[in-house]
Amino acid sequence: MTTTSTTPDSPLPGLVHGLYAEGEPIRDTKAPTGPIDRRWNTRKFEASLVNPANRRKLSVIIVGTGLAGGAAAATLGEAGYNVKSFCYQDSPRRAHSIAAQGGINAAKNYKEDGDSVYRLFYDTVKGGDYRSRESNVYRLAEVSTNIIDQCVAQGVPFAREYGGLLDNRSFGGVQVSRTFYARGQTGQQLLIGAYQALERQVAAGTVEMFNRHEMLEVVVVDGKARGIIARDLVTGEIETHLADAVVLASGGYGNVFYLSTNAMGSNVTATWRAHRKGAYFGNPCYTQIHPTCIPVAGEHQSKLTLMSESLRNDGRIWVPKNAADCEKDPREIPEEDRDYYLERIYPSFGNLVPRDIASRQAKNVCDEGRGVGPKVGDFRRGVYLDFTDALKRMSAEAVAEKYGNLLDMYQRITGENPYEVPMRIYPAVHYTMGGLWVDYDLQSSIPGLFVTGEANFSDHGANRLGASALMQGLADGYFVLPHTIRDYLAKGPFDKLDESHEAVAEARASVDARVAKLLSINGDRSVDSFHKELGNIMWEYCGMERSEEGLRKAIDLIRGLRDEFWRNVKVLGAADTLNQSLEKAGRVADFLELGELMCIDALHRRESCGGHFRAESQTEDGEALRHDDEFAYVAAWEWGGQDGAPVLHKEDLVYEFVELKQRSYK
Amino acid sequence: MNLTLKIWRQAGPTTKGEMVTYPVTEISEDMSFLEMLDVLNEQLNARGEEPIAFDSDCREGICGMCGLMISGKAHGPEVTTTCQLHMRSFSDGDEITVEPWRADAFPVIKDLVVDRSSFDRIIQAGGFISANTGSAPEAHSVPVPKDKADRAFMAAACIGCGACVAACPNASGMLFMGAKITHLGELPQGQPERDARVVNMVSQHDHEGFGGCTNIGECSSACPKEIPLDVINQLNKDLRGALMRGE
C-alpha cells in the first residue's frame, strides 16, 4: 500500500516536493544474518535444490549476453536447465562488457601484500561511499577468487610473469595489487571466455540463442514473470517467448546522456519495461563519470572513448592559469602559467584522486573558462594530460611499452601525437550504479524476474571502484544467480501457459501498438535529435553536479521533450524489416521516461555521495558531504503509472562491520 | 571537405541491390567514417528517404560489429576497424565506394548489414575449452610459460569482425579459425580437446561455404588486430597431426 506525505515546499497536495509519493519501506528478506563470512554459505545451503532430472523441464529466459548474461546462460545450460538467450547484437560476443579495459579485481592475495576477502569487501563498501549492502559486497569479494580460477580454466589469457604465474597490478587508488588483467583488453578476454562457454551449450542443445532480437516487454502472469515479448530485428516479427523465470542482464543506461562510453545500442528498454510492470528501480541517479576520456570534437560526435585511468599514474593534469592562454599551443605556455590543479588542491593524492573528484574538478576549471581544445557550445571542454615529464623521466620507449596502445588510440581519434603535444581529456558518462532493485537472491520486486550485472543496482553503492564491474558481472553470472534462481525454480514448473492467455496477449498487443504508433507519427524531427537534446539536458543538470534548481528545470524540459517526441518524431521504414530508426525510437522513448526518474531521484537525495554531487551539500572547501542520518538508504522507486507520480520505497542500509566515515583525499 | 559516396543499397536478403550515389558536404576531418554516415542518414531521414542500414556498436574498435568494404578495402585504407577510421584519411573531392562484406558465408541482410552467424557456428563446433562453472582448479595450479601466454593473447585479440573473410579472394575463414586454434592450443588447458577442436571447426568452416586458403595473405593485411598469418600454419599443423592420430 502507498502512503503519501507532504512537506511545506510541496506545490501539489499529496506529493513530496510535488514530484513523488512516499510508500512503505522495503527490506531485503533473503539476506541471511549472522557472521558475514558465513552468510553466502548459509544461503546456498538453505536454497532449495532441483533434481537434475527435473532441470530440463524448467525454462529460463536470459536477456543480454555480456559477462552477467553470458556467464549465467552458460552455467544454467551446463546445469541442465532449458535456457533461451537473447541479444540485440548480431552475436553474443559483441556485448559491451567487451570494451572494459583495465582489469578484474579478486582477493587472491597472490602478492602477499595484505589483501584478503575482508579487505576487498571493506574497500568496496568504502569506495561505494557507504551506500551499498554489506552482505552483497562481502559475497562479491568472496566469490571473486572463484572467478579467476574459472576464467583461467576456460583459457582466458591473463597477463603472466616469467615464472608462468599470473600477474597483478594495483588499480583505482587501492593500496594492494589485486587486479588481474589482459593488457588493455580484459573485458574482451573475459567476455570471449563466457561467449565460448555459451556457444558450447548452444551446441549441446541446452541453450537456444536468439541473436538480433530485442526484448520489448516482460510478460507477468498472476504476479510472476513468465516470459518476454521480443522483436526479431531482421524480420520485424514480434515474438512471444514464455518460461518459468526471466533474467535481465541487459547492462546499464548511460546512454540516457546520449554521449557516453557505452556502445551505440546500449539501452534501458529491458529494465524500463520491467519497471513499468512492477519492478522497482534502485538509485537511478547514481552515475559514474570517468575522468579520462577523449573530449567531444564537434556536434557530429556519436560516442565517447575512454582511455584507461592508468594514464593518471604517469601523466600530469593541468590547465592554463589564465583563460587568455587557452588557445595557445600548450608547449608554449611556461611552467609558471600552468595550474596543475589536482596536485594543488589534493597534495597527497594529486593526479590519483578517485574518479568522481577528478571529474568534478575538470568540470570546475572548464566552467571557469580555463578549458582547452575546440569550443563546443560556449565552453572549451578539455584539460591537458601531459606526459612531458614522464617522457623525460622514463624515455619514450618506456612510455610506449606501458601506454603505447592507449596513446596510439588517442592519436588515431584526434590526429594529434601525444608524444609531442599534451593530450586533452574530459570526463564522460561511463557506468551506472543504479538499476533494478533486487534482493540478496538478485530477484526483483516481481517474483521470477531476476536481474544481474550492471542492470541491477546492487554492490557498488554510489560509486564503483575500478576493475569491479567485471568482477560483479561474472560473480552474478557464474556463481550467484545459478544458486539463487534454483530456490525459485524448485517451486516450478509453473502452470502451463500459452500465448492466448490474457496477460500474454495484452503484453503482445501493447508492443504491436507501440511499434505502430512510432511508425505513424511521421513528424519533423529525427530520433537522434531528440536523443541529443535529452542527453544535453541530462548532462547539464543531472551530470557531475546537481542542484535543486537545475533538476527542477530538467524535469520540466524532459516532460516537454517527451511530449514533443510522441507528437513529432519521424521514423521512416516499415515494421516488418530491419529498421534501425525504429529500434532507436523505442529506446529513446524509454530514456525519456527514465531521465525524469533520474532527476527526481537526484532531487530527493539532498546529500552528496559517490557519483552524486549535490551543490547544496558540500563542505566548506567544496568537497562532497554525505548525510548518513537522513540518507543511508537505497531509494527503490515504484512506477506510478503513465500519469501518476513515482512512489519511493526506502530500504535502510545497516552497517554492522564497516564504520561510516567521510572520505578525504586532501 | 566534400565527397561523393557510392553506397550499396539492398532492401532485403532476396532483393536485388545497387550502388547509389550520395554527395556529402562540409565533412569534418575529425569525424569517424561512421559519424559521416550518421550525418548522411540524418539528411536522408529529413528528406523522407529511408536511412542506410549498417552495423556498429561499441565504436571503439573492440566489439567487431562494424565492417564495411571502403573503396575495395576491408575497413578502408588504415589498419583499424571501420568505426576507428577517421575522415582525415580522405581528401576533399574523393569518391568513396561503400559495400557490405562480400562472401557466400556472410549473406546480406539489408544495405550494408550482413549475417555473420556462421562464425558463431564455427565456435560452437569446438572453439572452447570444456570447463563447467565451478569445476576449475586453483588458478596457480597450472603455470603457463610467458611466451605461450603472450602468443595465446596475441591470437585471442581477434574481434570476429570478418574483415579477413571479406579481404580474401577465396572468402576463406582460415585466419579467424587459426586465431582461435592458436589461442586455445597454446595453453595447457586447451590440450585435451586440441585434436577434436581443429577437426570439428574446419569441418564446420567448409560446411558454411567459406573458401580454402591459398596463402595470399590479404586476410592478415586487412586484420584490424594484426593477427599474423602464421596462425594458419598452426591450424594446418594441428589439423595434419589430428588426422594422423586418427581424430
Side-chain angles (χ1 to χ4, degrees):
Chain A
M1 288 305 291
T2 294
T3 58
T4 56
S5 61
T6 52
T7 56
D9 61 343
S10 91
L12 285 177
L15 293 182
V16 187
H17 308 315
L19 292 168
Y20 64 90
E22 190 158 338
E24 295 290 331
I26 49 165
R27 241 164 32 85
D28 175 6
T29 57
K30 302 284 178 47
T33 52
I36 197 153
D37 56 350
R38 296 204 203 131
R39 288 179 184 179
W40 178 225
N41 268 333
T42 303
R43 182 69 194 124
K44 279 194 286 187
F45 181 74
E46 288 177 351
S48 306
L49 296 171
V50 179
N51 180 323
N54 287 337
R55 291 180 198 162
R56 77 178 74 91
K57 298 176 201 156
L58 291 160
S59 54
V60 181
I61 283 170
I62 302 180
V63 180
T65 59
L67 293 181
T75 304
L76 292 175
E78 289 161 5
Y81 296 100
N82 197 339
V83 178
K84 284 183 175 182
S85 170
F86 293 79
C87 68
Y88 71 78
Q89 300 92 339
D90 75 326
S91 164
R93 68 177 295 154
R94 315 273 186 226
H96 199 55
S97 304
I98 206 161
Q101 296 172 359
I104 177 166
N105 288 329
K108 281 286 197 186
N109 192 28
Y110 281 161
K111 295 284 182 189
E112 192 58 17
D113 55 2
D115 199 13
S116 61
V117 166
Y118 198 89
R119 190 177 297 281
L120 175 54
F121 153 70
Y122 178 88
D123 287 350
T124 307
V125 170
K126 179 186 172 204
D129 218 359
Y130 310 96
R131 290 293 176 267
S132 50
R133 290 182 189 143
E134 285 186 331
S135 295
N136 282 57
V137 177
Y138 194 89
R139 175 177 65 189
L140 177 66
E142 195 177 339
V143 303
S144 68
T145 58
N146 304 113
I147 296 171
I148 302 305
D149 298 342
Q150 183 62 34
C151 294
V152 166
Q154 290 171 341
V156 170
F158 284 121
R160 288 182 183 263
E161 296 169 341
Y162 282 99
L165 301 178
L166 294 159
D167 192 21
N168 295 125
R169 58 185 174 195
S170 79
F171 202 80
V174 297
Q175 290 162 309
V176 293
S177 292
R178 63 160 75 101
T179 304
F180 295 77
Y181 65 101
R183 282 195 212 156
Q185 287 127 274
T186 317
Q188 179 199 21
Q189 295 309 322
L190 296 175
L191 183 67
I192 296 302
Y195 158 74
Q196 288 170 188
L198 170 63
E199 294 294 0
R200 174 172 163 247
Q201 291 310 305
V202 173
T206 60
V207 177
E208 192 179 355
M209 189 67 228
F210 295 85
N211 299 341
R212 292 197 193 268
H213 275 65
E214 181 162 30
M215 169 186 155
L216 295 177
E217 194 54 272
V218 61
V219 174
V220 179
V221 177
D222 299 331
K224 294 191 180 80
R226 291 300 307 273
I228 64 169
I229 310 294
R231 182 167 179 268
D232 179 331
L233 300 180
V234 175
T235 64
E237 193 180 336
I238 306 295
E239 302 171 349
T240 303
H241 296 272
L242 302 173
D244 292 303
V246 176
V247 180
L248 302 184
S250 49
Y253 48 85
N255 272 350
V256 68
F257 291 86
Y258 185 69
L259 289 180
S260 80
T261 66
N262 284 4
M264 300 302 286
S266 298
N267 68 81
V268 77
T269 290
T271 48
W272 191 255
R273 301 325 288 177
H275 172 59
R276 290 177 55 116
K277 281 282 178 84
Y280 294 179
F281 212 110
N283 301 328
C285 81
Y286 289 165
T287 312
Q288 181 162 84
I289 297 182
H290 197 289
T292 54
C293 301
I294 299 175
V296 174
E299 295 295 328
H300 59 268
Q301 192 98 20
S302 61
K303 81 149 270 162
L304 296 170
T305 302
L306 180 147
M307 295 190 296
S308 169
E309 66 186 329
S310 63
L311 290 168
R312 289 198 279 148
N313 288 327
D314 288 299
R316 296 180 72 193
I317 294 172
W318 64 276
V319 290
K321 280 184 180 163
N322 308 309
D325 286 344
C326 288
E327 282 178 61
K328 275 192 189 161
D329 183 330
R331 291 168 293 189
E332 286 164 15
I333 300 175
E335 201 61 26
E336 62 270 21
D337 290 337
R338 301 176 175 192
D339 179 11
Y340 295 91
Y341 57 90
L342 290 176
E343 297 170 30
R344 171 172 59 81
I345 306 171
Y346 307 98
S348 59
F349 276 74
N351 294 298
L352 294 175
V353 291
R355 290 176 176 178
D356 52 338
I357 292 175
S359 294
R360 197 156 42 76
Q361 292 299 351
K363 176 184 189 298
N364 288 346
V365 294
C366 293
D367 285 349
E368 290 166 14
R370 295 193 288 145
V372 297
K375 262 193 180 173
V376 177
D378 296 334
F379 288 94
R380 296 173 201 284
R381 294 276 171 207
V383 300
Y384 290 122
L385 174 62
D386 195 339
F387 266 70
T388 310
D389 286 357
L391 286 163
K392 280 183 200 148
R393 179 164 44 87
M394 300 164 60
S395 86
E397 290 72 33
V399 168
E401 168 76 19
K402 216 167 163 185
Y403 302 109
N405 61 335
L406 296 169
L407 303 186
D408 291 349
M409 179 173 77
Y410 180 85
Q411 180 158 14
R412 200 157 51 235
I413 292 173
T414 63
E416 293 171 2
N417 181 352
Y419 294 93
E420 290 170 7
V421 188
M423 289 185 279
R424 289 175 292 107
I425 56 166
Y426 199 66
V429 173
H430 175 53
Y431 187 90
T432 49
M433 282 74 69
L436 289 186
W437 182 90
V438 288
D439 62 18
Y440 188 71
D441 279 3
L442 305 180
Q443 186 168 218
S444 73
S445 51
I446 301 176
L449 183 78
F450 293 77
V451 192
T452 59
E454 192 180 348
N456 73 29
F457 89 102
S458 70
D459 297 13
H460 303 299
N463 177 53
R464 180 177 64 71
L465 287 180
S468 283
L470 301 181
M471 173 172 67
Q472 187 223 338
L474 288 180
D476 285 2
Y478 284 133
F479 295 107
V480 178
L481 178 88
H483 285 292
T484 59
I485 201 172
R486 70 174 148 84
D487 186 58
Y488 181 80
L489 290 170
K491 300 178 198 121
F494 300 100
D495 294 345
K496 263 255 171 269
L497 262 186
D498 69 52
E499 297 190 13
S500 62
H501 186 284
E502 190 186 357
V504 183
E506 185 275 330
R508 195 200 150 104
S510 73
V511 170
D512 284 332
R514 195 168 138 100
V515 168
K517 170 77 177 164
L518 288 167
L519 285 167
S520 68
I521 298 167
N522 199 20
D524 295 326
R525 285 184 66 180
S526 70
V527 175
D528 279 358
S529 80
F530 283 102
H531 196 177
K532 276 185 197 180
E533 188 172 338
L534 172 66
N536 286 337
I537 296 168
M538 294 301 293
W539 183 239
E540 182 66 28
Y541 301 111
C542 198
M544 282 182 275
E545 184 171 320
R546 293 117 182 230
S547 69
E548 166 115 20
E549 188 191 355
L551 290 162
R552 286 197 180 276
K553 185 169 174 191
I555 290 166
D556 283 344
L557 290 170
I558 294 168
R559 287 175 178 171
L561 189 66
R562 190 168 64 224
D563 181 58
E564 190 193 341
F565 177 89
W566 286 105
R567 280 187 290 105
N568 197 27
V569 74
K570 180 174 190 170
V571 184
L572 298 172
D576 60 350
T577 169
L578 178 73
N579 187 336
Q580 294 172 329
S581 303
L582 178 63
E583 294 166 26
K584 284 194 278 190
R587 294 168 192 163
V588 171
D590 289 333
F591 281 137
L592 283 163
E593 293 180 0
L594 166 77
E596 180 178 335
L597 184 66
M598 288 172 70
C599 291
I600 292 173
D601 186 42
L603 192 138
H604 111 282
R605 189 169 284 277
R606 293 172 153 173
E607 66 161 348
S608 298
C609 60
H612 170 64
F613 187 86
R614 276 291 296 266
E616 300 90 339
S617 182
Q618 46 186 309
T619 61
E620 279 178 15
D621 46 1
E623 299 300 330
L625 183 63
R626 288 200 326 268
H627 296 295
D628 295 330
D629 48 338
E630 284 181 85
F631 291 104
Y633 62 78
V634 175
W637 295 93
E638 179 186 355
W639 172 249
Q642 190 66 53
D643 302 309
V647 182
L648 172 65
H649 301 272
K650 294 178 182 173
E651 179 201 332
D652 279 332
L653 291 167
V654 179
Y655 291 90
E656 297 171 67
F657 302 93
V658 179
E659 186 195 348
L660 278 67
K661 293 179 188 157
Q662 287 288 346
R663 294 190 306 167
S664 172
Y665 294 93
K666 290 274 176 182
Chain B
M1 61 182 102
N2 300 327
L3 305 162
T4 305
L5 302 174
K6 295 195 163 177
I7 301 180
W8 183 259
R9 301 297 311 255
Q10 181 176 335
T14 56
T15 46
K16 200 165 173 297
E18 59 175 346
M19 300 297 286
V20 179
T21 302
Y22 300 98
V24 287
T25 55
E26 292 176 41
I27 296 300
S28 148
E29 63 170 23
D30 289 330
M31 286 180 187
S32 71
F33 195 84
L34 296 181
E35 286 169 348
M36 184 270 297
L37 291 182
D38 290 341
V39 169
L40 172 60
N41 272 344
E42 283 290 282
Q43 290 168 1
L44 292 180
N45 194 71
R47 58 181 197 243
E49 289 178 46
E50 199 176 335
I52 299 152
F54 63 89
D55 269 332
S56 77
D57 206 27
C58 79
R59 293 206 180 182
E60 51 187 282
I62 195 73
C63 78
M65 186 117 170
C66 68
L68 301 172
M69 287 302 271
I70 299 168
S71 295
K73 290 196 157 185
H75 292 306
E78 314 284 344
V79 178
T80 188
T81 55
T82 301
C83 65
Q84 293 287 286
L85 176 67
H86 282 70
M87 296 313 292
R88 66 182 72 90
S89 297
F90 300 90
S91 309
D92 186 37
D94 278 359
E95 181 180 294
I96 305 169
T97 61
V98 187
E99 297 168 89
W101 287 165
R102 297 284 189 201
D104 281 351
F106 292 162
V108 173
I109 293 173
K110 183 174 183 174
D111 295 339
L112 304 171
V113 177
V114 300
D115 178 357
R116 284 169 292 196
S117 53
S118 47
F119 268 10
D120 288 337
R121 290 188 291 273
I122 290 175
I123 297 298
Q124 285 160 24
F128 50 75
I129 290 170
S130 299
N132 281 4
T133 301
S135 63
E138 158 43 56
H140 267 178
S141 61
V142 185
V144 182
K146 189 172 184 336
D147 57 337
K148 294 217 170 238
D150 286 350
R151 188 153 188 270
F153 176 85
M154 170 281 296
C158 169
I159 57 174
C161 64
C164 47
V165 176
C168 175
N170 308 328
S172 173
M174 293 283 266
L175 192 77
F176 166 77
M177 201 163 40
K180 190 49 60 192
I181 296 290
T182 304
H183 162 206
L184 301 178
E186 285 288 358
L187 299 170
Q189 292 85 356
Q191 299 313 310
E193 295 165 292
R194 188 166 176 177
D195 284 356
R197 177 181 306 121
V198 68
V199 170
N200 293 336
M201 287 176 75
V202 168
S203 164
Q204 187 68 35
H205 169 273
D206 295 352
H207 175 75
E208 294 288 348
F210 291 101
C213 173
T214 50
N215 294 315
I216 296 166
E218 287 289 331
C219 53
S220 186
S221 311
C223 175
K225 298 297 156 184
E226 302 178 73
I227 306 283
L229 206 53
D230 70 7
V231 300
I232 299 181
N233 303 10
Q234 178 86 62
L235 185 158
N236 284 327
K237 188 173 159 219
D238 278 21
L239 181 63
R240 199 167 54 240
L243 294 174
M244 281 170 62
R245 283 184 289 273
E247 181 62 49

